[in-house]
Amino acid sequence: MGVQEDGVRKDGAREDGGQEHEAGQPAASRTGAPVWARKSSLVLIIAAMALAAFGSTTQTWLTVHLDPAQLGQAVSSQDGLQVQGSKAATTVTALALVALAGGLAASIAGRIARWIITAIIVLASAGIVTAAVTVMADPLAAAQGSIAAATGITGSSVQVSVSAFPALAVVAGVLLGLGALLIIPAGRYWKSRTKYDAAAAGTDGAPEGPADEIDSWDRLSRGDDPT
C-alpha cells in the first residue's frame, strides 16, 4: 500500500508540475506573435516608409527665387525655379528603392540573410536622412545644379526656400531604420522558409511530408542530395 501511495503522489506531482509549466509559458508562445512582430505588419511598415521617402522626391523640395531676366521663358518668374527632390538629393530615390527591395526580401529570407538585409536597410535609411538633412542645411548648394541648367549661371547668390518634403523624407528615413531594426527580434516569431531550415533550427525533428521543389533547390545549394 505504501508503494502504491507513493506512486500516486509522484504521478500527481508530475501532473501538477506539468500544469504549472504550461501556465508559466510566455503569452506570446500561446497566442502567437505580437502585432509588431508579425511579418505582414513589419514588411508593410518598411514598404510604406520606403515608398514615402521615394514619393517625397517626386515633389518640389526647393524653390529658387531669381531675377526674372535670368530665369528665361521656360520658367515662370512668379513661381520661381522649382527643384524636385530627385534633383536636389539624387541618392534618396535610389536608397528608397533599395530599402523597399530589402523589406520585401526579408519576408522570404532565412535567419542569416535577415541580418544582412537589416544592415542594408539601416544603411539606406541613414543615407536618406543624411541626404535630406544636407539639403535642408544648405539648400543653395543643393539647387546649384538646377540653377545652372536653367540659367547657365553658377555660383550666384539667390534666395532658396525649402518645402516640407525634405522633412518628410527625414521622418520616413528614421521610421524606416527603426522598422528594419525590428526584423531581427521579430524573426524569432516567423516560421522558417523551408522544412529543412526548421529542422536545422531545431523546431522540427524531421521534415513532414515530401520535399517540394524549393526545398530540393535549397538542399542542392547546401551540397546535399535531395533524392
Side-chain angles (χ1 to χ4, degrees), residues 118-141:
T118 298
I120 293 174
I121 298 177
V122 169
L123 291 175
S125 62
I128 291 173
V129 173
T130 301
V133 169
T134 301
V135 171
M136 291 189 294
D138 192 359
L140 178 58

Side-chain angles (χ1 to χ4, degrees), residues 57-134:
T57 62
T58 63
Q59 304 300 316
T60 300
W61 280 29
L62 305 173
T63 301
V64 182
H65 302 282
L66 286 169
D67 186 348
Q70 292 179 320
L71 288 174
Q73 298 179 354
V75 183
S76 172
S77 59
Q78 183 178 359
D79 297 334
L81 176 62
Q82 297 181 352
V83 182
Q84 288 186 342
S86 57
K87 296 180 180 179
T90 56
T91 57
V92 173
T93 302
L95 293 175
L97 293 177
V98 170
L100 176 61
L104 297 177
S107 63
I108 59 174
R111 181 170 56 89
I112 297 177
R114 285 197 293 267
W115 280 90
I116 300 174
I117 291 171
T118 298
I120 293 174
I121 298 177
V122 169
L123 291 175
S125 62
I128 291 173
V129 173
T130 301
V133 169
T134 301

